[in-house]
Structures are given as structure tokens and as C-alpha cells.
Amino acid sequence: MGYLYSLINRENEKKFLGKSNLEKHVLKKLLYQALRKENHYNDLLQKDFKKYTFELEFQESNNVTKDFDSIIKEEELLNPIYGYNV
């Protein structure tokens, strides 16, 4: 079992989708720590994180990779108009 997590830009609803096997509280701490210290690998997300307010959501998954790929495709998160997964 793992987690899918979404960072959602409250201003424009763009989303970054990630996946992890870490516990929610550990993942949340590491994710926000990287973004606050400007160390996140995704430059587009990092730039917008400094400008806008984001909401973090978690979803449990029995098949993290399959669910991740499905959501990325369905929500077109590889398109920078809709998402940060570029």
C-alpha cells in the first residue's frame, strides 16, 4: 500500500501528482521542507509555490504506479496548462 498525493494550486487549480510509500506525516514534512528551502526538483512547481497557496491531499492506493499513470493521463497533468508534472 502506498499514497498518491496532490499539491493543488488554489489560484488556478493546477495540480502536481506524486506517489510515495512513506507515511503521510513524513511525506508532508519532507515535501514542504524541500519546497520552502527551494530544493524541489520540479522548477515549475517550485516557482509557483513561492507565489501561490497550495493544498495537499492524499489518497491511499493498492497499486500506486497504475493509479498514478491513470490519473496523470485522465487529468492531462503532463500539460503545463493543467498540471506541474512536466
Side-chain angles (χ1 to χ4, degrees):
M1 167 119 23
Y3 293 99
L4 296 176
Y5 62 93
S6 300
L7 271 171
I8 304 163
N9 184 326
R10 289 187 186 174
E11 181 77 22
N12 60 19
E13 298 300 314
K14 282 176 64 171
K15 183 188 292 187
F16 174 79
L17 185 68
K19 56 187 176 181
S20 178
N21 290 322
L22 296 173
E23 291 295 323
K24 285 189 228 180
H25 68 280
V26 174
L27 176 59
K28 181 179 180 178
K29 180 179 178 180
L30 292 174
L31 180 62
Y32 278 116
Q33 193 173 49
L35 286 163
R36 285 188 190 112
K37 291 183 178 182
E38 299 183 26
N39 289 330
H40 197 274
Y41 68 90
N42 185 310
D43 293 335
L44 182 60
L45 175 62
Q46 182 66 68
K47 184 182 82 154
D48 278 5
F49 186 80
K50 293 190 306 189
K51 286 189 207 177
Y52 304 109
T53 303
F54 281 78
E55 179 180 339
L56 179 61
E57 295 180 354
F58 290 96
Q59 176 184 345
E60 286 188 26
S61 173
N62 290 320
N63 192 335
V64 173
T65 302
K66 181 181 175 187
D67 293 341
F68 178 84
D69 292 342
S70 176
I71 293 170
I72 289 284
K73 189 175 182 177
E74 284 175 21
E75 297 186 20
E76 298 183 60
L77 298 179
L78 295 175
N79 183 336
I81 293 171
Y82 305 113
Y84 293 101
N85 292 80
V86 293

